[in-house]
Amino acid sequence: MYRVSAPRRGFTLVELLVVIAIIGVLVGLLLPAVQAAREAARRMSCSNNFKQIGLAIHNYHAAYKQLPQQMGGTTHFGGNWQGSSDANAPQANNVYELSWLVGLTPFFEQQALWEQISNPLRVPGGTNSFPPMGPGPRRTLANHNAANYDPWMTNIPSLRCPSDPGVGLPSQGRTNYGACIGDSVLWNAGNGVGNNGLITANATAGQTAAWKSEHIRAALRGMFMPRKVTKFRDVLDGLANTIAAGELTTDLGDRDKRTRPVTNNTANFHANNGKLACRGAIDPARPQFWAAGLTSPHVEITSGEHGRGYKWAHGIPLFSSVSTNLPPNSEICVDNNGTNVQNSYLSQGIFPPSSRHQGGCHVLMGDGAIKFITDSIEAGNSASREVRRDSAYLPVGSGSPYGLWGSLGTRAAKEVIDEEI
């Protein structure tokens, strides 16, 4: 009697390899879609954060009848502006260097942080307290010592775009959102206004207070003016046609042209080709990055704390402002005005918005709407001289030479926008 054995069932090696190959192909096809879906979610979250900031601006204006001041705070009254030790903490002040975001904190659900800032705060481990509004956010980590002012070091989730991976030191609390200061370079770091918030003469340069005041009014045409108060009524072009703020990318320490400042020591940033003064420093093989080993007139600002978006509480444009003279995701370029490279970011410069999103960035319009602006937006003549007083520049009252993009950044230049952006 013979026993008939049942045939064994299973995959052959060839069949198994075919199945593995098919799975690999499917994963390869699906992975980009998954990544795209994740970025779409991050982009939506980023837009929602910006929307909350827009609502905060409107609520702030409803409460105080003005916009939060870019570079506001407490004046220099003879005390120690920094408060770098327990002994001088009670005399600390911030010499009008606080960003627009500081005053907004209670309006985007950071009431607890605002309570720390607006009230005396005890020096950690010490016996003295900082006065309300704290010390200057300009100070470096090396100067913190016993006077480490915690609010300026706080990372606020609602000020961060999820698409930006930047974290940690040497930043002192990052932000991905900056106030729009218009299409000019002139004094866009507030240097035309003194540390007491007043316009003062500069006898050495032959500049009277009246002379400075006229130049400031003519050139600083953004919705926010450093060290000056603006209101919705100042936005004569209409809130829906004027950018209030834009995204900015924080520095990752990789020599990205959008986040690491470079200066040109010889350029006139206001004149023809001035806005392109740093183009010669870009690496032609990697056009999103600065070239290594720059030589004069180009100088890379290598101080670790001078990265884009590194100090949410600081009103200097490098940290918390955007300008509309170069298209989104263009290079930042600071006017050094000499050899003081360490403090070059305190001067003036070109600070386009930027983002980690593909092809553009978000902007917040004055009416609270969020728009995604592509890198290819019509931006006029990037090499043009700017609008300001003096015969060497475009006449006061001219429309922005930087096209639709520049027009969106000015609050009262009477430009007509006849298309949806």
Side-chain angles (χ1 to χ4, degrees), residues 71 185-202 207-216 220 226-228 346-348:
M71 297 196 74
V185 173
L186 181 67
W187 288 326
N188 61 12
N191 301 62
V193 182
N195 290 341
N196 56 4
L198 302 175
I199 298 176
T200 55
N202 184 345
Q207 300 169 354
T208 65
W211 184 95
K212 278 190 173 182
S213 180
E214 290 174 352
H215 279 70
I216 288 170
L220 299 181
R227 288 184 174 160
K228 300 289 289 182
L346 294 177
S347 185
Q348 52 197 3

Side-chain angles (χ1 to χ4, degrees), residues 28 46 65 81 94 97 132 164 178 197 238 303-304 308 325 362 376 386 397:
C46 185
K65 305 300 184 275
W81 76 275
N94 51 60
E97 288 190 351
D164 190 322
S303 173
R308 186 80 157 125
N325 31 44
H362 292 107
S376 59
E386 64 187 28

Side-chain angles (χ1 to χ4, degrees), residues 199-355:
I199 298 176
T200 55
N202 184 345
T204 303
Q207 300 169 354
T208 65
W211 184 95
K212 278 190 173 182
S213 180
E214 290 174 352
H215 279 70
I216 288 170
R217 287 199 304 269
L220 299 181
R221 311 196 297 171
M223 192 160 169
F224 289 85
M225 297 175 65
R227 288 184 174 160
K228 300 289 289 182
V229 170
T230 53
K231 306 176 181 181
F232 283 157
R233 71 181 185 186
D234 298 320
V235 187
L236 301 183
D237 288 351
L239 295 178
N241 299 325
T242 306
I243 296 174
E247 268 192 278
L248 56 89
T249 306
T250 70
D251 188 38
L252 304 180
D254 56 1
R255 202 176 279 121
D256 192 317
K257 69 178 184 180
R258 305 170 301 171
T259 65
R260 175 58 53 180
V262 161
T263 184
N264 184 321
N265 288 334
T266 62
N268 179 351
F269 279 39
H270 316 280
N272 288 330
N273 297 310
K275 305 301 183 292
L276 309 178
C278 291
R279 288 272 163 102
I282 297 175
D283 187 343
R286 303 172 70 233
Q288 191 173 304
F289 299 88
W290 300 117
L294 295 178
T295 57
S296 183
H298 298 112
V299 179
E300 181 181 355
I301 312 302
T302 57
S303 173
E305 293 181 48
H306 295 174
R308 186 80 157 125
Y310 267 15
K311 303 179 184 183
W312 73 270
H314 203 318
I316 291 298
L318 177 64
F319 301 132
S320 59
S321 296
V322 299
S323 55
T324 58
N325 31 44
L326 287 184
N329 287 305
S330 297
E331 69 277 7
I332 58 173
C333 187
V334 295
D335 183 0
N336 190 26
N337 272 347
T339 58
N340 189 2
V341 176
Q342 177 70 12
N343 289 321
S344 65
Y345 72 99
L346 294 177
S347 185
Q348 52 197 3
I350 299 130
F351 304 94
S354 56
S355 80

Side-chain angles (χ1 to χ4, degrees), residues 74-85:
T74 52
T75 185
H76 184 14
F77 48 79
N80 186 286
W81 76 275
Q82 186 164 262
S84 58
S85 69

